[in-house]
Amino acid sequence: MAAVLGFATILAFLGLTTFTRRFSVPVALILIPIGAAVIGGWTGDLGEMISEGMIKVAPVAIMIAFAILYFSLMVDVGLFDPVIRRVLRWAGGSPAKLAVGTALITLLVALDGDGTSTFLITVTALLPIYRRIGMRPVVLTGIVALAAGLMNIIPWGGPTARAMAALDMTSGDIFIPLLGPMAVGALWVIAVAWFLGRREARRIGTLTLDEPTINARPEGPGAMRAPETETIAGPRIPVGRAAQAFNVILTLVLVVILLLQLVPLQVAFAIAFALALIVNMPSWSAQQDLMKRHGGNVTMVVLMVLAAGVLTGIMTGSGMIDAIAQTLVSWVPDSAASLLPVITALTAMPLTLVMTPDAYYFGVVPILAETTASFGGDPAEIGRAALLGMGTTGFPISPFAAATFILLGLSDVELGRHQRYIFGWAFGTTVVMTIAALTLGVITL
């Protein structure tokens, strides 16, 4: 009975959010498992199961809230602008250098974990230069997609947050082991960017440009435009050199804390955000403006994570997840059990074309993780494997990710053309990182 209800709950969630889009994800995460619990006779335990589930995901929600606000503030004060200018000066009119510079800039800017702001910064800064030297916009969208996808698995990004919430794990369980494969993936993305740039160079040659500007606007008949009162990433908050030096030091300290896991990330980001506010925006009115400007992103992600707590709390507390896993164990041959992490990694990326990230991480990943655990494997490996596929390369080409259409709208590139151009390279990223993960023991056979 529990297994049947569990399968029905997952299928209902997938159907109503991915295929018919009748429910929003938060609504489906809350109401569908509650309905299953009522049918299964667990009504009396609903309050306790939901509370336990939400308590477990609360640290993830808190971390995401403060991380988004922190990096949004860093973007607003122009922390990354000097690096962008230097990369653009280095690239000059060389298509190969500009392509590599595009990858480097995206890898840096994507630290904020927000695909929308990443695409606004990179496209508005780089598209005018691409047009001036004759490079195709689809090259820009492809390289940005590869680099942003790689950085999408930082703990305050959507995929890792979903994986941590769905599996009740920390960044130390899922993300930290992926640092090695991420480094390999970054080298791969830079190499691909160089190759694509060289191919463009053979087509158009190399030009000599005047000093590149990062405040130009995307042009073209269908290109979206940022408000004229804004610069490359929105309104800039003027700060002094001392404040900017403080921002650099504080951000580096956060990275060290992340890598060494010195304190829980939600604590680190809460303290860092408070300190950054005091230094950069001491007035309450300015702080309120920041909250209003970026509060929407925070609300959406935090709501999704807390709603996921309802699903995971009910599915775990009722025993539905265990029952599903036991059923799958009876179906999977023992010889194939050890391949589950690799299969997960290699299939996750193509699934982005037919399934939303929420449906995958909350509906599929917990079942695969519990099945792996039943065979004696480490369920955290499933979370890492999922990130190697859907996390790193899925969202910048998925038709279910709103940020994808922002990237394409700013660049005036059609979705189908973008997908055809970069899909093979994106899947190559997954393959390369999966091999690195196997080599480094992040996932095992």
Side-chain angles (χ1 to χ4, degrees):
M1 176 64 176
V4 171
L5 274 176
F7 279 119
T9 300
I10 299 304
L11 290 175
F13 178 73
L14 295 177
L16 292 173
T17 59
T18 298
F19 302 115
T20 66
R21 301 191 184 185
R22 299 293 296 273
F23 281 14
S24 67
V25 171
V27 170
L29 286 170
I30 295 171
L31 294 184
I32 293 175
I34 289 177
V38 171
I39 294 173
W42 298 298
T43 307
D45 299 322
L46 264 178
E48 182 179 355
M49 289 189 294
I50 292 175
S51 296
E52 290 182 358
M54 296 183 77
I55 289 172
K56 287 180 179 179
V57 301
V60 177
I62 295 169
M63 181 269 293
I64 290 173
F66 285 111
I68 290 176
L69 289 173
Y70 177 82
F71 279 107
S72 296
L73 174 58
M74 291 300 105
V75 169
D76 285 355
V77 299
L79 178 67
F80 305 121
D81 287 0
V83 178
I84 295 176
R85 290 189 179 93
R86 290 183 181 181
V87 170
L88 291 181
R89 283 197 296 267
W90 167 78
S94 166
K97 285 186 176 181
L98 183 57
V100 171
T102 300
L104 294 174
I105 289 172
T106 306
L107 290 171
L108 174 66
V109 175
L111 273 172
D112 71 346
D114 179 24
T116 298
S117 64
T118 298
F119 298 152
L120 282 170
I121 293 172
T122 54
V123 174
T124 53
L126 297 168
L127 183 58
I129 302 174
Y130 270 66
R131 293 191 186 280
R132 287 172 63 190
I133 66 176
M135 291 180 69
R136 293 172 295 167
V138 72
V139 179
L140 171 63
T141 63
I143 296 172
V144 169
L146 289 180
L150 175 68
M151 295 301 294
N152 197 37
I153 64 173
I154 54 180
W156 47 94
T160 303
R162 292 181 179 95
M164 290 190 295
L167 301 180
D168 186 25
M169 294 182 181
T170 67
S171 61
D173 299 321
I174 295 180
F175 173 72
I176 296 299
L178 287 174
L179 288 173
M182 275 190 73
V184 174
L187 294 176
W188 162 262
V189 169
I190 292 171
V192 170
W194 179 85
F195 175 82
L196 296 178
R198 287 286 297 171
R199 193 161 63 182
E200 287 293 285
R202 289 194 294 270
R203 187 177 66 85
I204 62 176
T206 299
L207 302 179
T208 300
L209 295 180
D210 297 329
E211 180 75 9
T213 175
I214 63 174
N215 292 323
R217 295 290 169 194
E219 298 175 355
M224 296 168 55
R225 284 175 171 79
E228 294 299 327
T229 57
E230 298 182 0
T231 58
I232 61 172
R236 279 290 179 266
I237 301 171
V239 296
R241 291 184 178 180
Q244 203 65 282
F246 176 84
N247 294 333
V248 172
I249 294 172
L250 184 59
T251 302
L252 292 175
V253 169
L254 272 177
V255 172
V256 172
I257 290 174
L258 167 66
L259 297 178
L260 301 182
Q261 303 181 66
L262 300 178
V263 298
L265 283 187
Q266 64 270 22
V267 176
F269 274 113
I271 296 173
F273 178 61
L275 292 174
L277 274 183
I278 292 174
V279 172
N280 295 280
M281 308 177 70
S283 72
W284 171 232
S285 60
Q287 294 174 9
Q288 283 182 309
D289 289 340
L290 177 76
M291 308 294 185
K292 291 176 182 178
R293 194 159 56 247
H294 302 292
N297 290 335
V298 175
T299 300
M300 291 177 61
V301 179
V302 170
L303 176 63
M304 180 269 296
V305 171
L306 292 177
V310 178
L311 174 69
T312 56
I314 292 175
M315 293 288 288
T316 302
S318 64
M320 284 190 279
I321 284 289
D322 290 337
I324 292 174
Q326 291 172 7
T327 302
L328 292 179
V329 167
S330 66
W331 295 348
V332 177
D334 292 345
S335 58
S338 62
L339 297 176
L340 279 177
V342 174
I343 293 173
T344 300
L346 297 180
T347 58
M349 187 266 182
L351 285 176
T352 60
L353 301 179
V354 297
M355 184 179 296
T356 66
D358 300 296
Y360 181 73
Y361 284 104
F362 298 129
V364 177
V365 169
I367 295 174
L368 294 174
E370 192 64 31
T371 303
T372 296
S374 299
F375 280 108
D378 183 1
E381 290 190 15
I382 294 296
R384 299 168 197 157
L387 294 177
L388 292 174
M390 185 169 286
T392 56
T393 55
F395 99 92
I397 65 172
S398 172
F400 299 106
T404 298
F405 294 97
I406 293 175
L407 170 65
L408 300 180
L410 287 167
S411 308
D412 194 21
V413 174
E414 295 179 355
L415 175 63
R417 187 184 181 198
H418 169 68
Q419 290 176 327
R420 289 191 298 271
Y421 183 79
I422 207 63
F423 183 89
W425 296 110
F427 188 70
T429 305
T430 293
V431 173
V432 168
M433 292 183 67
T434 300
I435 294 172
L438 286 168
T439 303
L440 297 173
V442 176
I443 60 175
T444 57
L445 289 175

